[in-house]
Amino acid sequence: MRISDSAAIRTAGELDDSGAVRLARLSRRFDGQTGPVDALREVDLSIADGEFVSLIGPSGCGKSTLLKIVAGLDTDFSGTVEVGGRAVRGPGIDRGFIFQESRLFPWLTVEANIAANLSLRDSSVRDRVHDLIRLVRLDGFERAYPKELSGGMAQRVAIARALLRDPAVLLLDEPFGALDAFTRAHMQEVLVDIWTRRRTTMVFVTHDVDEAVVLANRVVILAPRPGRVRSIIPIDLPHPRITSSRELQEYRFDVLTQFESTPRPAERVD
Ligand SMILES: Nc1ncnc2c1ncn2[C@@H]1O[C@H](COP(=O)(O)OP(=O)(O)O)[C@@H](O)[C@H]1O
Ligand SMILES: [Mg+2]
């Protein structure tokens, strides 16, 4: 291990066992046009405080459903869902959510978007907003409007907004999916930097294997129909990581091997 990495490492021993997120026998069924769809069936998953978990799996395997349930945006599930030891019954300021689109208010400046319904006239709010603007590397853009920002910059505003109330858990649903490869790599670096400084628990949904392994402490692979946890692969490497490093490529191979051994519903297995 290189010495320069050691300050940024979060070892398992540093993680708090109280558990940021706990799912037990979580199931969610929808009424589809051709009958019921088991978006999630009996999912068990515990995420420790301060952990960075990537959820990965093919389209339709229940990733967004799982995230919305943890966010409290969908309460029509069965099983146990707890955040910080408390049962989830709806949205709360202990959880921040970031979607694929930034969902900024076009008529508000960057700082007003981040402050949301808090007043920038309050100096403590203003200070927090400006600290967050520095954290997401948007210094100088405080008074810019969303139409003046690139996609990556807008998404950084969304991240700052989600962090304003210092949530224990950040839930990210393919947040960089619409960005080009270079911007995406930069955003991953910004996110790892935020995580290293603030120790916010991250639950990051992606369908990109490289993105999952470069970011997470653990990659949770979901399988579809019914949506369930197929396997969990710990990525035992310090941050910041180098995508092209041999160790990371070995983990990437492990994740891909899991995918390739997942039977697809349309295939005969005999
Ligand atoms: N509101 C809904 N009504 C009916 N079916 C839904 C609804 N939301 C999701 N589903 C179904 O549940 C499954 C999982 O969806 P989703 O969580 O969006 O998957 P992913 O995010 O992994 O692509 C899919 O088969 C999807 O069609
Ligand atoms: Mg989705």
Side-chain angles (χ1 to χ4, degrees):
M1 179 200 310
R2 286 167 299 138
I3 303 227
S4 59
D5 285 342
S6 58
I9 304 173
R10 301 169 58 82
T11 61
E14 283 174 66
L15 301 172
D16 179 344
D17 281 342
S18 64
V21 179
R22 192 172 78 87
L23 311 178
R25 298 176 68 98
L26 169 61
S27 298
R28 174 65 162 110
R29 175 174 280 189
F30 292 106
D31 293 319
Q33 303 218 316
T34 53
V37 175
D38 282 318
L40 298 168
R41 187 191 287 169
E42 309 235 321
V43 170
D44 292 319
L45 180 66
S46 288
I47 299 174
D49 238 347
E51 214 183 349
F52 199 133
V53 165
S54 291
L55 294 182
I56 187 162
S59 183
C61 69
K63 304 183 294 295
S64 295
T65 301
L66 189 154
L67 224 53
K68 277 186 212 150
I69 289 172
V70 176
L73 300 171
D74 176 357
T75 51
D76 210 2
F77 58 83
S78 66
T80 302
V81 179
E82 290 174 357
V83 171
R86 282 193 301 275
V88 167
R89 299 220 162 73
I93 60 168
D94 56 341
R95 285 149 287 152
F97 203 106
I98 295 162
F99 300 89
Q100 185 164 338
E101 336 75 61
S102 58
R103 302 193 180 191
L104 302 180
F105 295 114
W107 59 88
L108 294 180
T109 61
V110 164
E111 58 183 7
N113 264 290
I114 296 171
N117 56 354
L118 301 183
S119 172
L120 282 166
R121 280 194 290 270
D122 176 338
S123 66
S124 74
V125 172
R126 209 164 52 236
D127 288 349
R128 265 155 59 209
V129 167
H130 289 169
D131 284 348
L132 287 166
I133 286 175
R134 268 192 297 281
L135 184 71
V136 299
R137 307 181 192 177
L138 283 172
D139 321 51
F141 289 89
E142 294 79 359
R143 304 282 164 85
Y145 285 88
K147 67 173 187 301
E148 303 171 70
L149 307 175
S150 68
M153 291 161 86
Q155 204 55 321
R156 279 183 273 151
V157 177
I159 293 172
R161 179 176 59 185
L163 289 170
L164 183 69
R165 290 180 169 85
D166 201 17
V169 183
L170 212 51
L171 305 161
L172 305 105
D173 195 355
E174 306 199 25
F176 310 148
L179 304 175
D180 65 79
F182 289 104
T183 307
R184 181 186 271 242
H186 178 235
M187 296 295 290
Q188 290 163 358
E189 184 197 312
V190 171
L191 191 65
V192 166
D193 181 51
I194 292 170
W195 174 69
T196 306
R197 289 167 193 267
R198 294 178 72 112
R199 310 306 202 198
T200 308
T201 306
M202 302 281 185
V203 187
F204 188 102
V205 165
T206 180
H207 55 244
D208 183 311
V209 174
D210 286 313
E211 182 161 77
V213 298
V214 83
L215 293 173
N217 298 128
R218 279 194 300 159
V219 175
V220 176
I221 303 174
L222 299 179
R225 288 162 199 260
R228 62 205 186 277
V229 175
R230 181 185 164 78
S231 52
I232 298 181
I233 299 185
I235 311 288
D236 210 0
L237 291 176
H239 287 85
R241 297 174 179 162
I242 299 165
T243 310
S244 57
S245 74
R246 172 141 27 109
E247 294 106 314
L248 208 64
Q249 290 302 317
E250 280 165 10
Y251 281 113
R252 178 175 183 272
F253 184 76
D254 290 349
V255 174
L256 285 170
T257 306
Q258 289 291 328
F259 268 130
E260 277 152 17
S261 60
T262 305
R264 296 187 180 85
E267 275 175 5
R268 288 164 63 97
V269 286
D270 54 349

